[in-house]
C-alpha cells in the first residue's frame, strides 16, 4: 500500500499546475533551416486521402504534386527541388495531430503547406506556433487563420466564407431584389461563417435556414422545408457533393429555386461529372444543362473554361503530369496553392530560412493565380480577399456576371478588385 | 507475495522501462510511445468486458469520447484544475455512463449487444452538433494542456514528459485492473462468460457482474480518452467514429482475447500497423489511389490472417513459445 | 407545417434499402450465426461493378445483373475461405473480426480501383416526384425480393434444408443434408440480396464509404426486428427509414443518429431479442 501511496503522491506532485493555464509561450521562428539543403526543401501537408471526407478533397494534393513536379523539372527554386510529403489524416483530428507532429518532429519539414480542414487544422495551429514552423496557405475558408498576434506562423489561402458570402449577398440584393432567400448550409464553420456574411447584407430577406450534416446524404427534409418556406433563392453553403444532392433533390420535388452556390461547392466541372448520368434515364429535363443552367456561383481562382493565362499554364501542367485526373476546380485549387507557395519560396531568396519565408508572405508581393489580391501583410494573414460571381449558361459554360470584388470580414463595403494581376510569364517561376 | 504488491512491482518495472526507453528515442517516437500507453489502457478495459466477461462491445469509442470531452471542457473552462483532477473527472463521467450502459445492456446477448453498442458509438458524438456552443459542433474542442512542473521546463522535452504521465496513469489503472481480474470478480466474470445459467446457479449475480464489467471498462476507456486529449490537445467528433470502436475491438483480438498482456500487443499494433503500412506504401512508386488505400488494405489483411492463423492472438503465440522453451529447458 | 407526406415517402425509400441490407444480414445470421460486417463492402464492390458496366454500356439492367452475379460469387468465396475455417472454433468474436477485416480490404480495393472521388450512379427510372418511378421501383423490388426469400425459406425443400442445416447441423447431416453446401447457399443468397441493396442504395453518388451509414441502419433495423426474423427486419427497416426521415425533417438532421440510438435502446429494453426475435437462446 505504501508504494501505491507513493505513486499517487508522485502523480499529484507532477501535475500541480493548472492544466489549462498556459505557460510562457515562446512564439517565434525556431530551427530556421529545418528541412532545407542546397538542393532540396522538404514540405508537408495533411489531407483526407481516405475516409468519408476523401471524396472531393483527395485530388487537391494530386494537383499540388503536379505543380511541384513541374517546378522541379524546371530546375527547382533557387536550385532546390521541392519534396512534398502528403500525410493522410482521414479528416480525423486525432490523426491530424499525430501526422503533423510526425512531419515536424521526425521528418523535420521546413513548412506545413495547405493543411486541409477546419476541425483538423485548428488542432495543430498552437503546436506549429510553439514549434515555430511556418503554416501557410491553409486549405479552409475559416476566419481563424487570420490572427497574426496569436498564431504568427499561420496564413490563410482561399477567400474566407464570410467575405465570399457578403459578395454573394450583395449580388442577390442587387440582381434579385425582393426575393425570399433560403439557406442550405453545412453544420460547421462553412455554414456558420457563410451565414454571418449573408446576414451582414441580406438578413431580412432570409426566410429559412436548413443545416445538413456531411455524414447524412439525405437532404430531402431540408429541401422540403425550403420549398415550404417559399424561398425563391436557395443559397448553398455546401461542398460539391451536397450542391449536387441539393440540385437533384430539388428536381425530385419539382422545386425550381434560383441556386446561389459558394465557391467551395460551385465547381462546375465536378458538378457536371456528378450529375451526368441522371438525364439519360429521366429525360432531358434533368440533363446536366437543364439542372445547372442559371446556377449562380462564386469563384476566386481562374475558371477552367476561361482563356486566362494561368488556366493555360495549369492545363499544360495537367496534361503533362496528371492527365488521368479530371481537371476540376479542386485540382486547380491544389495547383494554385502549390504555385503560390513556390512563388513565396522564390521571393524568400537563395538563403532560405523560415523567417524569410514568412517575410515573403508578409511582403505583399505575392500575386498570382487568384482573381483577387491576398490580404497578406504584417497586420493580416487572411488569404484571398474576394471573389467574382458567375452564372452557368445552357451549354454549361460559365459567364462572369460580376467582376472580381473585394471586401473585409466585418461591415466594410464590397468594392471592385484591382483589375491587373501578374501573369505566369511575369512571375517567371522557373526557366 | 500478495497480488497487489506483485502487480505494483511489475508496474514500477514497466514504468522504469518506459522512462528508460523515452530517454533514448526522439521526440516524435515519444508521441507514439504515449499513444501506445493510452491505447493500452483502452484495449485493456475492453479486454475485461469482451475477453473476460464475454460482452462484445462495438461502441467502446463512446467512452473515449466522453473522457476526451471531459478533459477538454475542464481544461478550457476550469483552467486552474491540475490535470490529474481532470483525468479523475474523465474516469468518473465515463464510469457513470458505463454503469448506465451496462444496466441497459445487461439483458442483451451477442449480436443484439453488438448492435446496440455500435449505435451508441454512432449516436453519441452527434450530441456535439446539438450543443455547438459548449461542445464546438463538428470542429470539437482544441486546447493545450500544460502539465510540465515549473522545475522541469526546459529540462525535460514536452513529448517525453507526456509519455511519462500517460504511462504512469495507464500503469496505475492496469494495476487496479489486474487486481480486480485476478480476484473473485475475475472468476465471476469468467463464469458469466462461459455459461450464464451455470454461473447464476453457482451464486454469481450475473447482472451485477456484467454492469461491473461495463463500469470498469468504461472507466479505462474514459481515462484513455482523457489521456488522448491530454496528449494531443483535441476532442472532436471526427476522432470518435465507429471505426475507432471497431479498431479497439480488433486490437483485443489481435493481442489475444482475455489477457492484459494481449492488450499491450493490441495497442502496439494499433499505433504501429497503420504507421508501418504507410511507410510501406510510401516506399514504392505506386499510383496515388493505390498508395492512399494500401495501409487500410494491409490492416484488413492482418486482421483476417491473425484470426485465421493465430486463434489466440499474438499473446497466444508468445505463451506457447515460452511454454515450449520452458519444457525444453526442463 | 412540414410536408409530412414527402417526408414519409422519402423515408420509405430509404427504409427499403435498410430493409434489404438488413435482410441480407438476417439470412447470414440464420445460416451461420454470424453478423456479417463485410456486408456493406460486398455490396459496395457489386455496386462499383454495376457502375463500370453502366458506364460501358450506357444501360442499367446489365449492370444490375453483373452486380447480382458478383454478389453470388463473393458470398460463396467469403463463406468458403473465411467463415468455414472458423466454424469449429465456437468463438463469437472471430467471425466479427474476420468480416471487419474483409470490410477494410474490400473498401480499400474499391478506393484503389475507382478512387475516393464520388461517382454518379443512376436511378433505375425517373426519380422525380414525391413518389417517383425510381422510388416505387426500390420499394416494390425490396418487398418482392423479401417475399421471395420468405417463400424460399418457408415453402420449398431447399428452404427446409437451409433451415435444418442452420438450426441442427448434426441432425441435418445424419438425414443426408449437405450442411456445408447449405451454408454456402445461405451466404450466396444473402450476398445477392446485399448486392441488390447496394445497387438500390448507391444513387445518386457512389464512393467507398457510402454504404457505411446504410449498414449501421440496416443492422439497427435487424436488431429492432429480431436478427433471426426476416419479416421483423423488413418491417424494422421501413419503420426506421420513415422515423428517421421525420426526425430529420421535424427536429433536425443532427439528431438522426441519436434517434436511431434512442429507438434501439427503447426496443431492446422492452424486448432484448428485438420486437419479433425468438427469445430462446440457441447456441449452434
Amino acid at each position: 500500500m505504501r508504494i501505491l501511496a507513493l505513486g499517487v503522491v508522485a502523480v499529484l506532485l507532477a501535475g500541480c499546475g493548472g492544466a489549462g493555464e498556459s505557460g510562457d509561450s515562446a512564439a517565434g521562428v525556431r530551427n530556421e533551416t529545418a528541412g532545407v539543403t542546397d538542393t532540396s526543401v522538404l514540405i508537408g501537408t495533411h489531407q483526407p486521402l481516405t475516409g468519408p471526407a476523401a471524396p472531393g478533397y483527395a485530388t487537391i494534393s494530386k494537383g499540388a504534386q503536379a505543380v511541384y513536379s513541374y517546378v522541379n523539372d524546371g530546375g527547382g527554386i533557387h536550385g532546390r527541388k521541392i519534396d512534398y510529403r502528403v500525410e493522410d489524416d482521414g479528416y480525423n483530428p486525432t490523426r491530424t495531430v499525430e501526422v503533423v507532429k510526425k512531419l515536424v518532429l521526425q521528418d523535420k519539414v521546413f513548412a506545413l503547406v495547405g493543411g486541409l480542414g477546419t476541425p483538423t487544422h485548428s488542432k495543430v495551429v498552437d503546436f506549429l506556433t510553439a514549434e515555430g514552423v511556418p503554416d501557410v496557405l491553409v486549405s479552409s475558408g475559416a476566419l481563424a487563420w487570420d490572427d497574426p498576434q496569436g498564431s504568427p506562423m499561420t496564413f490563410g489561402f482561399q477567400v474566407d466564407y464570410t467575405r465570399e458570402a457578403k459578395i454573394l449577398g450583395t449580388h442577390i440584393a442587387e440582381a434579385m431584389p425582393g426575393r425570399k432567400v433560403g439557406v442550405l448550409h453545412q453544420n460547421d464553420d462553412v455554414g456558420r461563417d457563410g451565414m454571418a456574411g449573408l446576414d451582414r447584407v441580406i438578413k431580412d430577406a432570409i426566410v429559412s435556414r436548413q443545416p445538413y450534416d456531411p455524414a447524412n446524404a439525405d437532404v430531402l427534409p431540408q429541401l422540403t422545408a425550403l420549398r415550404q418556406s417559399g424561398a425563391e433563392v436557395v443559397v448553398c453553403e455546401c461542398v460539391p457533393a451536397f450542391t449536387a444532392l441539393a440540385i437533384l433533390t430539388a428536381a425530385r420535388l419539382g422545386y425550381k429555386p434560383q441556386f446561389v452556390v459558394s465557391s467551395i461547392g460551385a465547381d462546375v466541372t465536378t458538378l457536371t461529372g456528378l450529375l451526368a448520368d441522371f438525364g439519360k434515364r429521366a429525360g432531358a429535363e434533368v440533363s446536366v444543362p437543364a439542372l445547372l443552367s442559371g446556377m449562380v456561383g462564386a469563384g476566386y481562382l481562374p475558371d477552367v473554361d476561361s482563356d486566362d493565362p494561368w488556366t493555360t499554364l495549369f492545363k499544360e501542367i495537367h496534361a503533362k503530369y496528371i492527365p488521368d485526373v479530371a481537371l476540376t476546380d479542386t485540382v486547380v485549387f491544389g495547383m494554385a496553392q502549390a504555385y503560390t507557395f513556390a512563388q513565396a519560396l522564390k521571393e524568400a531568396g537563395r538563403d532560405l530560412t523560415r523567417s524569410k519565408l514568412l517575410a515573403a508572405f508578409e511582403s505583399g508581393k505575392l500575386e498570382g493565380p487568384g482573381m483577387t489580391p491576398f490580404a497578406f501583410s504584417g497586420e493580416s494573414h487572411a488569404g484571398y480577399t474576394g471573389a467574382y460571381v458567375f452564372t452557368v449558361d445552357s451549354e454549361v459554360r460559365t459567364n462572369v456576371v460580376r467582376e472580381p470584388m473585394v471586401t473585409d470580414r466585418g461591415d466594410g463595403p464590397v468594392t471592385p478588385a484591382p483589375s491587373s494581376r501578374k501573369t505566369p510569364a511575369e512571375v517567371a517561376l522557373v526557366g | 507475495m500478495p497480488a497487489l504488491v506483485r502487480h505494483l512491482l511489475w508496474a514500477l518495472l514497466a514504468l522504469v522501462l518506459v522512462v528508460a526507453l523515452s530517454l533514448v528515442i526522439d521526440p516524435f517516437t515519444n508521441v507514439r510511445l504515449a499513444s501506445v500507453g493510452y491505447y493500452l489502457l483502452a484495449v485493456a478495459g475492453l479486454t475485461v468486458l469482451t475477453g473476460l466477461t464475454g460482452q462484445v462491445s462495438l461502441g467502446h469509442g463512446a467512452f473515449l469520447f466522453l473522457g476526451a470531452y471531459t478533459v477538454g471542457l475542464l481544461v478550457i473552462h476550469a483552467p486552474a484544475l491540475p490535470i490529474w483532477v481532470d483525468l479523475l473527472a474523465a474516469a468518473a463521467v465515463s464510469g457513470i455512463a458505463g454503469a448506465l450502459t451496462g444496466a441497459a445492456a445487461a439483458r442483451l446477448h451477442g449480436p443484439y449487444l453488438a448492435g446496440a453498442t455500435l449505435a451508441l458509438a454512432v449516436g453519441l458524438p452527434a450530441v456535439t452538433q446539438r450543443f455547438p456552443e459548449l461542445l464546438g459542433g463538428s470542429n470539437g474542442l482544441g486546447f493545450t494542456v500544460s502539465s510540465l512542473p515549473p522545475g522541469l521546463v526546459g529540462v525535460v522535452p514536452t513529448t517525453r514528459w507526456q509519455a511519462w504521465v500517460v504511462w504512469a496513469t495507464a500503469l496505475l489503472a492496469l494495476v487496479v485492473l489486474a487486481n480486480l481480474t485476478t480476484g473473485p470478480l475475475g472468476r465471476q466474470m469468467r463464469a458469466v462468460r462461459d455459461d450464464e445459467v451455470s454461473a447464476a446457479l453457482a451464486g454469481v449475480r450475473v447482472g451485477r457482474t456484467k454492469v461491473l464489467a461495463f463500469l470498469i471498462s468504461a472507466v479505462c476507456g474514459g481515462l484513455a480518452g482523457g489521456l488522448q486529449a491530454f496528449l494531443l490537445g483535441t476532442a472532436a467528433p471526427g476522432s470518435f467514429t465507429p471505426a475507432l470502436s471497431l479498431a479497439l475491438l480488433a486490437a483485443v483480438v489481435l493481442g489475444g482475447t482475455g489477457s492484459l498482456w494481449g492488450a499491450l500487443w493490441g495497442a502496439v499494433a494499433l499505433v504501429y500497423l497503420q504507421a508501418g503500412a504507410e511507410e510501406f506504401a510510401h516506399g514504392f512508386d505506386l499510383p496515388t489511389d493505390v498508395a492512399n488505400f494500401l495501409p487500410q488494405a494491409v490492416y484488413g489483411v492482418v486482421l483476417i490472417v491473425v484470426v485465421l492463423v493465430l486463434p489466440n492472438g499474438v499473446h497466444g503465440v508468445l505463451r506457447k513459445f515460452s511454454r515450449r522453451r520452458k519444457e525444453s529447458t526442463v | 407545417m412540414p410536408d409530412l407526406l414527402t417526408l414519409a415517402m422519402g423515408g420509405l425509400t430509404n427504409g427499403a434499402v435498410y430493409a434489404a441490407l438488413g435482410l441480407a444480414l438476417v439470412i447470414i445470421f440464420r445460416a451461420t450465426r454470424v453478423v456479417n460486417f463485410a456486408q456493406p463492402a460486398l455490396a459496395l464492390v457489386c455496386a462499383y461493378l454495376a457502375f463500370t458496366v453502366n458506364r460501358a454500356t450506357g444501360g442499367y439492367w446489365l449492370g444490375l445483373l453483373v452486380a447480382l452475379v458478383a454478389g453470388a460469387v463473393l458470398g460463396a468465396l467469403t463463406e468458403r475461405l473465411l467463415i468455414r475455417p472458423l466454424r469449429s472454433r465456437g468463438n463469437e468474436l472471430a467471425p466479427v473480426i474476420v468480416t471487419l477485416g474483409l470490410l477494410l480490404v474490400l473498401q480499400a480495393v474499391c478506393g484503389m480501383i475507382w478512387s475516393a472521388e464520388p461517382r454518379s450512379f443512376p436511378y433505375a427510372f425517373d426519380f422525380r416526384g414525391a413518389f417517383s418511378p425510381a422510388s416505387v421501383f426500390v420499394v416494390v423490388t425490396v418487398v418482392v425480393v423479401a417475399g421471395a426469400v420468405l417463400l424460399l425459406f418457408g415453402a420449398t425443400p431447399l428452404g427446409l434444408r437451409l433451415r435444418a442445416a442452420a438450426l441442427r447441423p448434426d441432425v441435418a447431416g445424419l438425414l443426408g443434408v449437405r450442411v456445408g453446401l447449405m451454408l454456402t447457399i445461405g451466404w450466396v443468397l444473402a450476398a445477392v440480396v446485399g448486392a441488390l441493396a447496394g445497387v438500390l442504395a448507391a444513387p445518386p453518388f457512389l464512393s467507398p464509404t457510402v454504404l457505411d451509414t446504410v449498414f449501421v441502419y440496416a443492422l439497427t433495423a435487424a436488431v429492432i426486428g429480431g436478427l433471426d426474423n426476416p419479416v421483423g427486419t423488413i418491417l424494422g427497416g421501413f419503420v426506421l427509414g420513415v422515423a428517421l426521415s421525420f426526425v430529420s425533417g421535424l427536429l433536425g438532421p443532427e439528431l438522426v443518429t441519436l434517434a436511431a440510438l434512442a429507438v434501439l435502446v427503447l426496443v431492446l429494453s422492452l424486448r432484448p431479442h428485438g420486437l419479433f426475435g425468438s427469445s430462446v437462446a440457441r447456441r449452434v
Side-chain angles (χ1 to χ4, degrees):
Chain A
M1 276 325 279
R2 195 172 297 161
I3 304 174
L4 181 66
L6 271 179
V8 172
V9 169
V11 172
L12 296 191
L13 284 178
C16 49
E21 289 162 348
S22 57
D24 47 335
S25 56
V29 170
R30 288 167 54 189
N31 303 326
E32 283 285 2
T33 56
V36 181
T37 70
D38 284 346
T39 55
S40 70
V41 51
L42 176 65
I43 59 172
T45 189
H46 61 88
Q47 303 282 327
L49 303 178
T50 58
Y57 294 133
T59 53
I60 289 179
S61 48
K62 293 183 185 176
Q65 182 59 61
V67 167
Y68 293 132
S69 300
Y70 159 81
V71 169
N72 292 346
D73 287 351
I77 305 289
H78 298 303
R80 291 191 183 91
K81 303 262 166 93
I82 299 170
D83 183 359
Y84 178 56
R85 196 157 293 181
V86 186
E87 291 285 342
D88 178 16
D89 67 7
Y91 216 64
N92 171 348
T94 306
R95 270 175 73 192
T96 310
V97 178
E98 285 167 359
V99 299
V100 168
K101 287 194 171 177
K102 172 172 177 290
L103 287 168
V104 171
L105 299 174
Q106 184 170 301
D107 301 341
K108 302 204 176 353
V109 293
F110 175 68
L112 204 74
V113 182
L116 189 141
T118 312
T120 47
H121 196 75
S122 57
K123 307 307 185 302
V124 294
V125 169
D126 284 350
F127 169 72
L128 293 168
T129 305
E131 292 292 324
V133 180
D135 171 29
V136 297
L137 305 175
V138 180
S139 302
S140 146
L143 299 169
W145 323 129
D146 178 19
D147 180 12
Q149 299 301 318
S151 38
M153 300 293 142
T154 302
F155 291 79
F157 174 61
Q158 70 202 67
V159 61
D160 65 59
Y161 306 127
T162 302
R163 275 188 167 93
E164 186 191 348
K166 277 175 75 181
I167 292 167
L168 280 176
T170 306
H171 180 75
I172 292 169
E174 290 174 9
M176 315 159 199
R179 298 235 232 145
K180 291 184 188 167
V181 178
V183 186
L184 177 69
H185 65 91
Q186 192 158 304
N187 61 356
D188 56 14
D189 58 300
V190 174
R192 215 175 29 249
D193 293 356
M195 274 196 293
L198 290 175
D199 281 343
R200 294 233 156 81
V201 192
I202 51 165
K203 189 171 188 179
D204 296 337
I206 297 177
V207 293
S208 175
R209 298 163 195 259
Q210 296 295 324
Y212 75 84
D213 190 299
N216 183 351
D218 180 19
V219 293
L220 186 70
Q222 288 91 329
L223 267 294
T224 309
L226 287 168
R227 182 179 64 174
Q228 289 220 318
S229 74
E232 300 150 280
V233 177
V234 169
V235 180
C236 208
E237 303 275 358
C238 319
V239 295
F242 277 82
T243 309
L245 279 172
I247 289 172
L248 277 178
T249 308
R252 179 173 167 189
L253 292 170
Y255 173 40
K256 289 174 181 151
Q258 166 71 57
F259 276 103
V260 176
V261 185
S262 63
S263 63
I264 51 166
D267 180 346
V268 175
T269 315
T270 300
L271 292 176
T272 303
L274 287 175
L275 297 172
D277 277 5
F278 300 101
K280 281 184 210 152
R281 306 201 69 78
E285 291 157 60
V286 287
S287 64
V288 174
L291 288 172
L292 288 182
S293 76
M295 183 187 99
V296 172
Y300 53 92
L301 295 172
D303 192 273
V304 182
D305 282 341
S306 68
D307 51 2
D308 188 275
W310 288 97
T311 306
T312 313
L313 173 70
F314 290 154
K315 280 184 176 161
E316 278 169 25
I317 297 175
H318 172 260
K320 182 162 178 204
Y321 293 98
I322 45 170
D324 299 338
V325 181
L327 184 61
T328 60
D329 284 1
T330 316
V331 174
V332 169
F333 178 98
M335 289 181 154
Q337 194 175 50
Y339 202 98
T340 306
F341 178 73
Q343 207 184 334
L345 271 189
K346 185 164 193 214
E347 186 65 37
R350 189 167 299 276
D351 300 319
L352 184 61
T353 64
R354 284 176 167 171
S355 295
K356 285 185 181 168
L357 180 77
L358 297 180
F361 271 94
E362 291 190 346
S363 71
K365 286 184 187 162
L366 298 183
E367 258 181 55
M371 306 296 286
T372 63
F374 287 114
F376 297 150
S377 70
E379 286 77 47
S380 174
H381 285 187
Y384 289 119
T385 46
Y388 61 93
V389 180
F390 66 83
T391 61
V392 180
D393 66 18
S394 57
E395 283 161 14
V396 202
R397 301 178 67 85
T398 54
N399 301 292
V400 172
V401 290
R402 192 169 287 266
E403 292 299 324
M405 308 290 281
V406 292
T407 185
D408 62 8
R409 56 194 263 190
D411 291 319
V414 175
T415 53
S419 55
S420 72
R421 66 196 229 280
K422 281 182 189 158
T423 63
E426 285 162 358
V427 174
L429 199 53
V430 288
Chain B
M1 191 161 39
L4 177 64
V5 177
R6 201 177 64 236
H7 292 147
L8 270 173
L9 286 177
W10 271 110
L12 262 179
L13 178 66
L15 190 61
V16 169
L17 282 177
V18 166
V19 169
L21 184 62
S22 75
L23 293 174
V24 296
I25 53 182
D26 68 78
F28 177 67
T29 312
N30 266 309
V31 176
R32 289 238 165 103
L33 179 66
S35 302
V36 173
Y38 75 75
Y39 277 129
L40 164 61
L41 187 49
V43 176
L46 190 56
T47 293
V48 168
L49 181 67
T50 300
L52 281 183
T53 323
Q55 306 289 295
V56 176
S57 164
L58 302 183
H60 213 58
F63 300 117
L64 275 80
F65 166 85
L66 288 173
Y69 266 83
T70 306
V71 166
L73 287 171
L74 287 175
V75 167
I76 293 169
H77 298 291
L81 290 179
I83 183 65
W84 62 270
V85 175
D86 297 354
L87 288 173
L88 281 180
V93 168
S94 181
I96 292 168
L100 289 175
T101 312
R107 290 165 67 206
L108 303 184
H109 291 271
Y112 293 95
L113 181 62
T117 46
L118 182 64
L120 180 70
V122 176
L124 194 60
V127 296
T128 57
Q129 297 291 355
R130 196 57 181 172
F131 305 102
E133 301 298 324
L134 180 66
L135 302 177
S138 42
N139 281 350
L141 308 172
F143 43 88
T144 305
V145 185
S146 49
S147 66
L148 201 58
L152 292 181
V153 173
V155 183
V156 179
T158 319
T159 55
R160 190 179 293 161
W161 169 255
Q162 286 171 327
W164 294 355
V165 173
V166 169
W167 273 91
T169 316
L171 287 169
L172 207 61
L174 281 178
V175 168
V176 178
L177 215 52
N179 249 50
L180 286 175
T181 54
T182 48
L185 183 62
R187 281 194 294 280
Q188 290 167 7
M189 287 173 166
R190 287 185 194 88
V192 168
R193 174 190 66 190
D194 294 339
D195 190 337
E196 283 189 22
V197 180
S198 321
L201 282 175
V204 176
R205 289 161 70 186
V206 173
R208 179 173 156 276
T209 309
K210 284 187 186 175
V211 174
L212 269 176
F214 254 104
L215 171 79
I216 293 168
S217 74
V219 166
C220 292
L223 261 182
L227 288 171
Q228 186 196 60
F230 159 75
L231 177 68
L232 302 177
T234 159
S239 304
F240 303 98
T241 56
L244 171 67
S245 300
L246 299 174
L248 290 174
L249 187 66
V252 168
V253 177
L254 275 184
T257 322
S259 137
L260 293 183
W261 276 107
L264 176 64
W265 311 129
V268 171
L270 270 183
V271 175
Y272 276 95
L273 211 52
Q274 172 88 19
E278 271 171 21
E279 293 296 320
F280 178 75
H282 284 315
F284 297 92
D285 191 20
L286 297 169
T288 340
D289 287 326
V290 175
N292 291 351
F293 282 94
L294 195 61
Q296 186 183 337
V298 169
Y299 190 54
V301 169
V302 169
L303 284 186
I304 294 173
V305 169
V306 166
V307 173
L308 287 181
V309 180
L310 317 172
N312 296 314
V314 177
H315 184 59
V317 176
L318 294 178
R319 205 167 42 192
K320 207 187 277 174
F321 221 63
S322 69
R323 214 173 281 158
R324 245 184 238 153
R325 268 191 32 201
K326 267 182 206 156
E327 277 162 15
S328 62
T329 46
V330 169
Chain C
M1 183 64 192
D3 188 347
L4 293 180
L5 189 67
T6 308
L7 289 180
M9 291 308 182
L12 215 52
T13 321
N14 296 344
V17 175
Y18 307 155
L21 203 63
L23 181 62
L25 290 174
V26 168
I27 296 172
I28 286 179
F29 186 73
R30 280 168 61 120
T32 48
R33 296 279 131 181
V34 168
V35 175
N36 179 16
F37 282 89
Q39 191 75 71
L42 293 169
L44 183 77
V45 173
C46 301
Y48 266 117
L49 288 172
F51 162 82
T52 301
V53 174
N54 286 347
R55 276 289 154 95
T57 61
Y60 181 89
W61 305 106
L62 188 61
L64 179 62
L65 185 69
V66 167
L68 298 182
V69 173
V73 174
L74 283 172
L77 286 177
T78 309
E79 200 276 332
R80 283 283 156 129
L81 298 179
L82 301 180
I83 302 301
R84 182 150 312 180
L86 301 175
R87 255 184 80 70
S88 54
R89 217 177 276 172
N91 179 345
E92 193 181 17
L93 266 178
V96 172
I97 304 299
V98 165
T99 51
L100 268 180
L102 184 61
L103 171 83
L104 293 174
V105 172
L106 292 180
Q107 275 189 351
V109 168
C110 287
M112 288 177 185
I113 298 175
W114 289 281
S115 92
E117 289 306 298
R119 306 300 183 123
S120 95
F121 193 99
Y123 295 92
F125 299 101
D126 191 347
F127 61 94
R128 285 171 299 161
F131 215 54
S132 62
S135 299
V136 172
F137 172 70
V138 170
V139 174
V140 169
T141 306
V142 170
V143 170
V144 167
V145 167
V149 168
L150 285 178
L151 264 180
L152 177 76
F153 270 112
T156 66
L158 178 64
L160 188 62
R161 280 155 203 259
L162 284 170
R163 281 185 296 154
L167 292 179
R168 286 286 163 79
D170 41 355
V171 180
L174 286 176
L175 292 174
V177 176
R178 291 176 63 190
V179 174
L181 180 68
M182 288 304 121
L183 299 185
T184 309
I185 291 177
W187 271 76
V188 167
L189 190 61
V192 171
V193 175
L196 176 71
V199 172
L200 295 180
F205 307 128
L206 191 57
S207 66
T209 54
V210 75
L211 295 178
D212 291 5
T213 334
V214 179
F215 171 72
V216 169
Y217 294 137
L219 181 61
T220 308
V223 169
I224 291 173
L227 258 169
D228 52 6
N229 187 320
V231 178
T233 298
I234 289 156
L235 275 177
F238 281 110
V239 170
L240 190 68
V242 175
L244 295 184
S245 183
F246 279 146
V247 168
S248 181
L250 303 180
L251 302 176
E254 74 278 9
L255 290 178
V256 167
T257 53
L258 277 172
L261 175 63
V263 172
L264 207 57
V265 168
L266 186 72
V267 168
L268 289 181
S269 61
L270 297 174
R271 310 236 346 150
H273 294 269
L275 289 176
F276 309 101
S278 59
S279 56
V280 189
R282 278 187 306 225
R283 289 208 150 172
V284 183

